[in-house]
Amino acid sequence: MNFYRVKKECSRGCILAMLALLAGCAQKADALKLSAHQFSVEAQQAISALDDARTAQFSAPVRSLDAQQAIFSANLAQFTGTLTADNLPILINPDAITIDPAENARWQGEMANLRNQYQSFAAIFTDIGADDIFGAGTIKASAPLLQKLRTQLASLAQTLGTSPPAFLVRRDALIARINQIHSDTSISATDRSSQVKDWWQQWQTLAGDEKTTWQNAMRHFITASQLGSKLQTQIENYDKITSQTMLTGIDKGLRLVAQNRNLSESQIKQKAGTMIDDLAKQARP
């Protein structure tokens, strides 16, 4: 009787141990899903920031309604032709440019494709466990893809780092304005000084907007790279690390996102350089 009771207790203990193991594995799998989600979201934000930078390059200066009306009135007074649907928008906003629709569609297609790659990567982890009870097959197979995506992010960041966004339309408009001020002999020295001062303030605002846009995009790329590196380690060592380690990694990821919002320009350049160098080393045979 005692023998059967002991056997029963042992069986129950084994079952409880197995349930605890499964619960731990489920928790670890859920933690990995969250980690992959963190990486995917930050990578997509980096791509959106890159898209926003490109849009800003071709955006005309934002002016008040009064300023727009004054510009239109001045242009209309000098215009001697016939107003048409084609030339009227130019008289209203001479700084605006039209991007080739085919080129714009190509760019938007590329951005959508990039975002989809990171969304699809995160979706890999949605059904962890489909291969086997721990989803080891799915997790292991995701490692090379993650490495490819991280290299892609580093390449995009490198391009952005060496070619910071320049808001071309706003720059051209301000250059045209300073030439106009410089060549206008009909205004007094006082008026000229006032106009130059106003122009200088607008130029400084432009330079600040360009820098802010660049820094914002680079911060996202750096954060995505750091989260990707952390995720790579988690995936490659999934069978060795505990669920608590995974959860701690997620907490560190959240802190990374918060900390990187305040990176200075010098810190951005240093971390971006480290990111690119590290992945370049990994790519070497």
Side-chain angles (χ1 to χ4, degrees), residues 135-163:
T138 298
I139 294 167
K140 184 177 181 180
S142 70
L145 176 56
L146 175 58
Q147 183 66 38
K148 178 182 178 182
L149 293 176
R150 291 174 59 213
T151 301
Q152 179 174 259
L153 284 174
S155 178
L156 291 171
Q158 185 176 36
T159 299
L160 183 63
T162 55
S163 302

Side-chain angles (χ1 to χ4, degrees), residues 260-280:
N260 285 347
R261 290 194 188 114
N262 300 315
L263 290 177
S264 66
E265 183 175 3
S266 61
Q267 289 173 321
I268 289 172
K269 291 179 178 178
Q270 186 270 323
K271 288 182 179 292
T274 299
M275 170 184 69
I276 294 165
D277 290 344
D278 287 348
L279 284 177

Side-chain angles (χ1 to χ4, degrees), residues 76-234:
L76 187 61
Q78 298 176 13
F79 185 71
T80 58
T82 301
L83 293 174
T84 67
D86 292 329
N87 60 35
L88 189 58
I90 299 174
L91 294 176
I92 295 173
N93 189 358
D95 298 321
I97 64 172
T98 301
I99 303 175
D100 178 41
E103 174 60 23
N104 194 52
R106 183 194 66 78
W107 171 266
Q108 293 304 324
E110 288 182 358
M111 293 297 101
N113 179 57
L114 284 172
R115 292 188 187 95
N116 184 62
Q117 289 181 47
Y118 295 92
Q119 290 171 351
S120 298
F121 175 78
I124 291 174
F125 301 88
T126 301
D127 297 318
I128 289 179
D131 300 298
D132 52 56
I133 199 166
F134 304 113
T138 298
I139 294 167
K140 184 177 181 180
S142 70
L145 176 56
L146 175 58
Q147 183 66 38
K148 178 182 178 182
L149 293 176
R150 291 174 59 213
T151 301
Q152 179 174 259
L153 284 174
S155 178
L156 291 171
Q158 185 176 36
T159 299
L160 183 63
T162 55
S163 302
F167 299 171
L168 305 176
V169 177
R170 289 173 60 184
R171 278 177 170 267
D172 287 348
L174 282 174
I175 291 171
R177 175 58 182 156
I178 195 62
N179 277 314
Q180 181 184 34
I181 295 171
H182 183 65
S183 61
D184 191 348
T185 58
S186 65
I187 59 176
S188 66
T190 301
D191 287 343
R192 185 187 305 279
S193 176
S194 176
Q195 290 180 20
V196 169
K197 182 178 179 180
D198 179 65
W199 179 91
W200 179 257
Q201 291 174 341
Q202 292 183 55
W203 185 264
Q204 294 306 307
T205 298
L206 167 63
D209 289 346
E210 290 174 340
K211 179 179 287 188
T212 298
T213 298
W214 177 80
Q215 290 178 338
N216 177 61
M218 290 301 293
R219 287 187 185 106
H220 282 302
F221 275 107
I222 289 168
T223 304
S225 175
Q226 292 174 324
L227 292 174
S229 177
K230 180 170 63 65
L231 179 60
Q232 192 88 47
T233 299
Q234 292 171 340

